[in-house]
């Protein structure tokens, strides 16, 4: 698949280079990334959520960064798999809900 460690390193370097070109954008992103630090959720839970979201948004960069952070936070392989199971269920659920919306829009267009 991917060389995740090398990819993570290259990604961080590229984001650093982008940050030199767009420092305010990088600062804004960093502020968003730190926003959850005052959450009542512990770091481990936040990282499990981040991985589930990374899957549903198809973000390889998010995956590599948050896998590293999840491991540092003490997440086990089984806990990560559990979070991914929720992501799979939600994605399928989202497709079902939006399928109903498409049919509703179709029917509304027939009037």
């Amino acid at each position: 698949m991917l060389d995740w460690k090398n990819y993570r390193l290259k990604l961080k370097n590229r984001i650093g280079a982008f940050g030199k070109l767009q420092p305010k954008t990088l600062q804004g992103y960093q502020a968003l990334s730190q926003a959850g630090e005052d959450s009542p959720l512990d770091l481990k839970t936040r990282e499990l959520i981040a991985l589930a979201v990374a899957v549903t948004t198809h973000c390889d960069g998010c995956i590599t960064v948050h896998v590293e952070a999840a491991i540092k936070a003490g997440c086990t392989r089984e806990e990560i798999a559990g979070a991914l199971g929720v992501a799979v269920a939600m994605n399928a659920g989202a497709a079902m809900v939006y399928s109903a919306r498409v049919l509703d829009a179709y029917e509304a267009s027939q009037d």
Side-chain angles (χ1 to χ4, degrees):
M1 296 187 78
L2 288 178
D3 177 350
W4 292 99
K5 290 180 182 180
N6 191 40
Y7 175 68
R8 183 173 50 250
L9 179 62
K10 287 182 177 183
L11 179 65
K12 287 180 179 181
N13 288 336
R14 290 289 181 189
I15 289 173
F18 176 73
K20 289 178 182 175
L21 296 168
Q22 292 288 306
K24 288 185 180 181
T25 300
L26 182 59
Q27 290 168 0
Y29 171 74
Q30 289 170 331
L32 285 172
S33 295
Q34 295 168 354
E37 290 177 0
D38 60 353
S39 168
L41 299 176
D42 63 29
L43 179 60
K44 191 172 175 180
T45 301
R46 293 194 318 268
E47 289 304 330
L48 291 170
I49 292 169
L51 287 170
V53 172
V55 166
T56 61
T57 58
H58 308 157
C59 180
D60 286 339
C62 301
I63 290 169
T64 190
V65 168
H66 288 285
V67 162
E68 180 182 47
I71 291 167
K72 287 180 182 176
C75 295
T76 66
R77 184 177 187 195
E78 291 76 17
E79 289 169 326
I80 291 171
L84 300 179
V86 173
V88 169
M90 290 305 299
N91 245 4
M96 186 64 69
V97 169
Y98 271 80
S99 294
R101 289 174 67 87
V102 168
L103 293 175
D104 186 56
Y106 175 83
E107 290 172 14
S109 297
Q110 296 302 307
D111 294 336

